[in-house]
Structures are given as structure tokens and as C-alpha cells.
């Protein structure tokens, strides 16, 4: 017996499948036409704050030419413009600099460096400051991404625009990234696969050192949960992070060459290693600050409490809650 069209359930199923694919193709075509011809706004989750040209600060590389004479008729003292929150927000929600309270010299140098780079940074001073405390503070503060630095670092002069470009490219290509190393000790990070539109951003290989990295809120939550649960780990933090990257528990990327470097010439490390990565360091922001800012011309670090000169009793109020050191 010949069955009429529509009397067999399989016939209806086949028609439904065809209609579904036709509808999907039509919707995709309309979306492509809209994106390419009607509304060609780039699809990006990284959008810089909208500011008028008058309020936009100059790039860090021009700060040596942006010194302002506050009283030209009576003094030759020059001062930098104060750090701006808006400039910091152009590439990250918050900046942490981890500093142990007895390292007053490092705190003072980083304060001057952030001031020169025009960055509004939080010098995170604690008796035993560590990265875990910063991750907790980042989560509690509701920051979506934060730049975490140690207190012995220096910037390339173009660090801010490069980090901004790297984050924009990363957000477009990998929306759910956890970590971007902008300072590391590995010469092999350029061997990682490039997954973004910026050729300097690579999949992390083994980015030892934690001198500087940008952490997403998702990454901070994952790291904090892991290290609270595994608090008895005895390995160095950077070694543990590389292990998590290798196990694909953290989606991490590296900027290579980096734009943040340890200054082991100023603060020799206990391991005595001479890092090869230092050869890539081209334009030091700190060296330029020392060259152009008069009160930094003869900078030394006499304030670390373990090396404190007994004759030196007074320190600036911004460096310590107490104005004298006993």
C-alpha cells in the first residue's frame, strides 16, 4: 500500500530538519550582513574609558618632557603631574605592588616610579605581604582585572600602551583568560602559540618569576581557591604556578618580550642568578626618572630597616604611618 505524504512520522521529521537548517543559514547570513555592513563596531570586551582629548594623559615615554615648573621665578624645582586614576583605568582596574613593611627603600622607589609613570597604584604593605593576600583583596574589591607587581621591578617606557594592546587583543580572542604575564624570567615564552591578534602575546610555556602579571577576576578566584586548599605546598610560588599551567588548570599567556623586569642590579637576589631576560630590557623608566627628576638624581635606598643608618630618624609620612623609626 502506498502511504500518502505526511502520514509517516519520518517524513515530518525530515521536513523539520530541513526547515531548521534553512532558518539557521538565513539567520547567520543576516548577522554577517549586519556586522560587516550595517554596524561594523569591533566586537570587544575591552573598551577604554571615553575621555576628552584635554583630559587624556600623555604616554609615559613623554613624561620626561612633561615636567612642570611650579614656581619659575623663585625656584628651579620641578615636579611631575600627579598620578591619574583615569590613565590607570585605561588598561586595568587596579594596580597592586606587594611590599613587606620593613622594605621602606623599595616602597619609596616604587612610589616615585609610579608617580613618574603617571599610575595610581596601591602599594600593598603588610608585615608578611604575599600574593594570596592580594588575590583575596582583589576578589573582595570586585575588580575584574588587576596588575600585580613585586617591589623590585622596573618598567619599559612603553609598558602601559603595550599592556593595554595585549589585553585588548586577548579579550577579543580568549574572553575567559585567567592570567597574562607581563613580567617573567623565561627566554622561551615566544615559543608558545600565538592565539591573539597581537604577535607578542603567546600561550604561556614556563613563565618563571612573578615580577608582574595581570590577573582576571576568574583567575584570582581559581588561584585563591587552589592555594587555600593546598596551603601546605613548600615549592616557590612561580614554580607552583607553572605546574598549574602545565596541568591546564590555569589559562595563562605571556607577553614576550616582557615590559616589566626585576632590577637585580639594585636588589641582588639570594640565588645570585644573572637572568638572561635582562638582555631584552631596552628603555628603563626608572633610569629616565633618575635622569630627569632632580630629587632622584642621587637616589639610594637607605631606608630598609635592616640596613637603617642610626643617624637617619625621619622618613616621609607617605612611606610609613609613623614619622620616626625607633
Amino acid at each position: 500500500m502506498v502511504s500518502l505524504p505526511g502520514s509517516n512520522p519520518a517524513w515530518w521529521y525530515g521536513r523539520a530538519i530541513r526547515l531548521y537548517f534553512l532558518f539557521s543559514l538565513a539567520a547567520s547570513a543576516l548577522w554577517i550582513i549586519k556586522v560587516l555592513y550595517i554596524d561594523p563596531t569591533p566586537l570587544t570586551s575591552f573598551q577604554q574609558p571615553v575621555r576628552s582629548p584635554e583630559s587624556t594623559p600623555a604616554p609615559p615615554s613623554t613624561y620626561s618632557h612633561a615636567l612642570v615648573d611650579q614656581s619659575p621665578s623663585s625656584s628651579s624645582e620641578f615636579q611631575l603631574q600627579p598620578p591619574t586614576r583615569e590613565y590607570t583605568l585605561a588598561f586595568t582596574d587596579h594596580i597592586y605592588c606587594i611590599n613587606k613593611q620593613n622594605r621602606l627603600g623599595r616602597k619609596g622607589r616604587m612610589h616615585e616610579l609610579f608617580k613618574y609613570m603617571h599610575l595610581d597604584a596601591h602599594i600593598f604593605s603588610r608585615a608578611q605581604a604575599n600574593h594570596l593576600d592580594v588575590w583575596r583583596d582583589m576578589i573582595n574589591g570586585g575588580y575584574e582585572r588587576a596588575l600585580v607587581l613585586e617591589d623590585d621591578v622596573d618598567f619599559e617606557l612603553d609598558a602601559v600602551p603595550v599592556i593595554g594592546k595585549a589585553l585588548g587583543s586577548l579579550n577579543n580572542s580568549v574572553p575567559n583568560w585567567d592570567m597574562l604575564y607581563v613580567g617573567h624570567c623565561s627566554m622561551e615564552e615566544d615559543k608558545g602559540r600565538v592565539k591573539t591578534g597581537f604577535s607578542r602575546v603567546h600561550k604561556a610555556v614556563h613563565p618563571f618569576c612573578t615580577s608582574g602579571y595581570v590577573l582576571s577576576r576568574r583567575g584570582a578566584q581559581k588561584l585563591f581557591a587552589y592555594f587555600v586548599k593546598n596551603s601546605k605546598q613548600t615549592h616557590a610560588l612561580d614554580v607552583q604556578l607553572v605546574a598549574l599551567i602545565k596541568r591546564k588548570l590555569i589559562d595563562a599567556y605571556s607577553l614576550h618580550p616582557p615590559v616589566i623586569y626585576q632590577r637585580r642590579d639594585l636588589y641582588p637576589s639570594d640565588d645570585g642568578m644573572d637572568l638572561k631576560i635582562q638582555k631584552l630590557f631596552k628603555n628603563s623608566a626608572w633610569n629616565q626618572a633618575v635622569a630627569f627628576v632632580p630629587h632622584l638624581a642621587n637616589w639610594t635606598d637607605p631606608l630598609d630597616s635592616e640596613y637603617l643608618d642610626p643617624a637617619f630618624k625621619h622618613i616621609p609620612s607617605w612611606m610609613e604611618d609613623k614619622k620616626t623609626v625607633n
Side-chain angles (χ1 to χ4, degrees):
M1 184 176 64
V2 179
S3 61
L4 296 175
S7 61
N8 190 337
W11 183 88
W12 286 106
Y13 180 75
R15 299 280 291 191
I17 292 295
R18 292 190 191 96
L19 288 173
Y20 172 78
F21 279 109
L22 287 174
F23 178 78
S24 299
L25 288 173
S28 299
L30 290 173
W31 183 84
I32 292 172
I33 292 172
K34 178 181 180 296
V35 171
L36 295 180
Y37 301 105
I38 299 176
D39 183 20
T41 304
L43 298 177
T44 174
S45 59
F46 178 78
Q47 296 181 357
Q48 297 186 358
V50 178
R51 299 185 295 273
S52 63
E54 293 78 11
S55 65
T56 303
S61 59
T62 64
Y63 286 169
S64 60
H65 309 290
L67 300 175
V68 179
D69 189 351
Q70 301 294 330
S71 53
S73 60
S74 59
S75 172
S76 60
E77 178 69 18
F78 287 85
Q79 295 184 6
L80 287 168
Q81 296 286 357
T84 60
R85 181 66 179 159
E86 291 78 10
Y87 188 61
T88 302
L89 288 172
F91 72 103
T92 188
D93 295 342
H94 202 71
I95 299 176
Y96 290 98
C97 178
I98 302 174
N99 169 257
K100 291 185 179 180
Q101 283 182 337
N102 65 329
R103 293 176 172 177
L104 301 180
R106 296 189 183 201
K107 182 176 181 180
R109 189 187 70 88
M110 291 305 297
H111 174 87
E112 295 291 346
L113 181 58
F114 287 132
K115 183 178 177 182
Y116 188 72
M117 291 291 288
H118 224 61
L119 294 173
D120 181 17
H122 175 193
I123 298 183
F124 194 83
S125 291
R126 299 288 187 276
Q128 294 296 328
N130 58 56
H131 292 258
L132 190 67
D133 291 335
V134 166
W135 302 338
R136 180 193 292 112
D137 191 84
M138 178 184 172
I139 295 168
N140 293 339
Y143 302 118
E144 290 302 317
R145 57 178 174 266
L147 173 62
V148 181
L149 304 169
E150 295 181 343
D151 61 6
D152 60 348
V153 302
D154 194 359
F155 294 90
E156 287 280 6
L157 283 172
D158 63 349
V160 171
V162 171
I163 293 174
K165 184 176 180 181
L167 286 174
S169 178
L170 193 58
N171 285 331
N172 286 338
S173 306
V174 192
N176 293 322
W177 59 274
D178 295 322
M179 197 171 186
L180 172 65
Y181 283 87
V182 294
H184 54 77
C185 301
S186 173
M187 289 291 287
E188 300 184 4
E189 292 308 290
D190 58 340
K191 295 181 180 179
R193 188 173 39 150
V194 178
K195 296 185 66 175
T196 74
F198 187 27
S199 61
R200 288 177 64 176
V201 176
H202 303 262
K203 189 71 173 173
V205 180
H206 39 69
F208 293 107
C209 298
T210 51
S211 48
Y213 57 88
V214 180
L215 196 62
S216 70
R217 181 173 179 81
R218 177 175 179 264
Q221 291 170 335
K222 290 168 70 173
L223 288 177
F224 184 78
Y226 176 84
F227 282 97
V228 166
K229 184 178 179 180
N230 299 274
S231 58
K232 295 183 179 180
Q233 292 278 358
T234 58
H235 297 293
L237 176 63
D238 61 338
V239 175
Q240 295 182 62
L241 290 174
V242 170
L244 292 178
I245 293 169
K246 292 295 185 183
R247 292 165 59 188
K248 298 183 179 180
L249 298 179
I250 294 294
D251 190 19
Y253 299 82
S254 295
L255 186 64
H256 192 85
V259 291
I260 292 171
Y261 294 83
Q262 290 182 331
R263 288 299 300 261
R264 293 202 171 187
D265 56 329
L266 300 177
Y267 310 105
S269 175
D270 294 337
D271 58 24
M273 293 177 59
D274 183 18
L275 299 177
K276 294 181 180 179
I277 197 75
Q278 299 294 133
K279 298 177 181 179
L280 303 180
F281 195 14
K282 302 298 182 183
N283 299 297
S284 163
W286 175 248
N287 289 352
Q288 190 182 86
V290 170
F292 283 96
V293 181
H295 73 271
L296 299 179
N298 298 312
W299 178 270
T300 57
D301 281 356
L303 303 180
D304 285 357
S305 59
E306 60 264 39
Y307 305 112
L308 190 62
D309 185 343
F312 188 88
K313 293 293 183 181
H314 297 279
I315 61 176
S317 60
W318 54 262
M319 291 181 64
E320 191 67 276
D321 294 335
K322 298 179 180 179
K323 293 187 177 180
T324 60
V325 176
N326 296 323

